[in-house]
């Protein structure tokens, strides 16, 4: 269900904190059944990716805020993974209702989908728990968006694709968190998606070729 | 400020966005 103003206002950070604190670190039974319904079961690659990205995230976090806060980094990531599994399940449930299909093999074996969804979940946790705990360390590195994109080596345009579905799928987001994701969205649309290595340019080219119209839009280099 | 603007149309969802339809 789309986010209604009342629901967003009613939700408090405590709600999401309580939900994440009691959530499991592993995929739920429901989520496992979605994995089992896939032509190619994605579970192993999902678990492997969560582990690999976790190592990188904790390393970069400790580098950014100091080894003394390394434990905070692993806590943030842990909660991010819980949110990632929770939102994935909710997304699949609504897609199942919308499309009345049960086999999401292609989507669930898509590395970019998972990396984007995980990045969004970790970004929400980072924004939720804020920076006050490690604010005192003059780390110089700003961990707010788009820091997570560099850590996960993720293109902004791919991150952008999950934002709206994430907001729809996670009913416990607060107004501030939705506003935060919306600011990320705008920053991507206004600048980050137009950087020269963005996948956007290939997509524009492909759609132009499909339309068969003259390709006047693309400049050789993005300005 | 006003609420989040849901831009996805009918028949557009995460599956379409990741070319899995």
């Amino acid at each position: 269900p789309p986010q209604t103003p009342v629901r967003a206002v009613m939700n408090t950070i405590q709600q999401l904190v309580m939900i994440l604190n009691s959530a499991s670190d592993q995929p739920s039974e429901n989520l496992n059944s979605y994995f089992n319904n896939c032509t190619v079961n994605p579970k192993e690659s999902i678990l492997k990716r969560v582990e690999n990205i976790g190592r990188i995230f904790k390393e970069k976090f400790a580098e950014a805020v100091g080894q003394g806060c390394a434990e905070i980094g692993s806590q943030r990531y842990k909660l991010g993974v819980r949110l990632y599994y929770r939102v994935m399940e909710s997304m699949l449930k609504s897609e199942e209702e919308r499309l009345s299909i049960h086999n999401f093999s292609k989507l669930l074996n898509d590395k970019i989908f998972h990396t984007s969804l995980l990045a969004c979940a970790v970004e929400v946790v980072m924004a939720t728990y804020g920076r006050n705990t490690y604010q005192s360390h003059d780390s110089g590195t700003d961990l707010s968006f788009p820091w997570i994109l560099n850590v996960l080596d993720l293109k902004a345009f791919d991150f952008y694709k999950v934002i709206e579905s994430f907001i729809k799928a996670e009913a416990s987001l607060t107004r501030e968190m939705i506003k935060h994701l919306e600011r990320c969205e705008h920053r991507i649309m206004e600048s980050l998606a137009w950087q020269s290595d963005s996948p956007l340019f290939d997509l524009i080219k492909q759609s132009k070729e499909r339309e068969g119209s003259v390709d006047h839009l693309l400049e050789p280099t993005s300005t | 400020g006003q609420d989040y603007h849901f831009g996805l149309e009918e028949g557009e969802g995460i599956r379409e966005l990741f070319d899995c339809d």
Side-chain angles (χ1 to χ4, degrees):
Chain A
Q3 189 65 268
T4 58
V6 173
R7 200 164 66 142
V9 169
M10 295 298 289
N11 290 336
T12 60
I13 286 184
Q14 279 66 33
Q15 265 174 308
L16 185 63
V17 166
M18 253 172 17
I19 289 168
L20 292 183
N21 282 342
S22 55
S24 152
D25 294 315
Q26 296 304 321
S28 68
E29 246 177 78
N30 256 353
L31 198 49
N32 276 314
S33 57
Y34 282 116
F35 296 158
N36 298 329
N37 284 336
C38 292
T39 321
V40 175
N41 193 317
K43 182 168 182 177
E44 217 186 303
S45 63
I46 288 170
L47 295 179
K48 194 117 210 62
R49 183 178 306 109
V50 162
E51 198 191 316
N52 294 339
I53 289 179
R55 231 190 341 273
I56 298 165
F57 175 86
K58 291 172 208 171
E59 206 181 286
K60 294 270 173 85
F61 186 95
E63 258 169 45
V65 297
Q67 289 303 334
C69 296
E71 182 46 30
I72 295 173
S74 51
Q75 273 303 325
R76 294 285 190 273
Y77 186 73
K78 198 165 139 159
L79 294 175
V81 171
R82 291 178 183 180
L83 184 57
Y84 159 68
Y85 285 135
R86 178 183 153 86
V87 173
M88 190 191 316
E89 183 175 340
S90 168
M91 273 183 182
L92 292 172
K93 195 164 169 297
S94 55
E95 286 291 89
E96 189 177 30
E97 279 152 23
R98 179 172 75 88
L99 301 163
S100 44
I101 53 164
H102 314 291
N103 181 345
F104 292 99
S105 197
K106 196 154 184 266
L107 180 69
L108 292 179
N109 282 286
D110 183 327
K111 170 179 187 292
I112 294 180
F113 164 69
H114 285 291
T115 309
S116 303
L117 185 57
L118 182 54
C120 198
V122 173
E123 177 62 27
V124 164
V125 168
M126 299 274 285
T128 305
Y129 286 78
R131 299 171 33 75
N132 33 38
T133 34
Y134 38 82
Q135 194 68 48
S136 55
H137 296 264
D138 176 20
S139 62
T141 316
D142 178 2
L143 302 190
S144 56
F145 187 79
W147 180 74
I148 193 73
L149 300 185
N150 312 321
V151 170
L152 270 62
D153 189 22
L154 181 65
K155 297 288 187 286
F157 181 73
D158 290 321
F159 180 89
Y160 172 85
K161 288 187 203 173
V162 298
I163 293 176
E164 177 164 337
S165 302
F166 191 101
I167 291 173
K168 274 185 184 164
E170 183 45 71
S172 65
L173 291 180
T174 63
R175 201 175 178 74
E176 301 80 49
M177 285 183 235
I178 293 171
K179 285 283 165 219
H180 176 72
L181 289 176
E182 195 172 29
R183 279 191 298 272
C184 297
E185 222 179 26
H186 291 168
R187 251 190 97 179
I188 295 170
M189 279 194 285
E190 282 156 13
S191 62
L192 299 176
W194 300 98
Q195 288 165 350
S196 55
D197 60 352
S198 169
L200 191 51
F201 293 102
D202 291 337
L203 288 170
I204 293 174
K205 213 158 186 249
Q206 283 158 25
S207 72
K208 281 292 152 195
E209 275 145 16
R210 264 200 308 272
E211 282 163 32
S213 61
V214 171
D215 181 358
H216 61 278
L217 217 182
L218 274 179
E219 302 302 318
T221 54
S222 68
T223 45
Chain B
Q2 78 288 33
D3 290 317
Y4 180 79
H5 166 65
F6 288 92
L8 288 177
E9 273 127 39
E10 216 32 58
E12 264 184 344
I14 198 78
R15 227 168 138 259
E16 288 77 6
L17 287 171
F18 282 90
D19 306 332
C20 301
D21 52 349

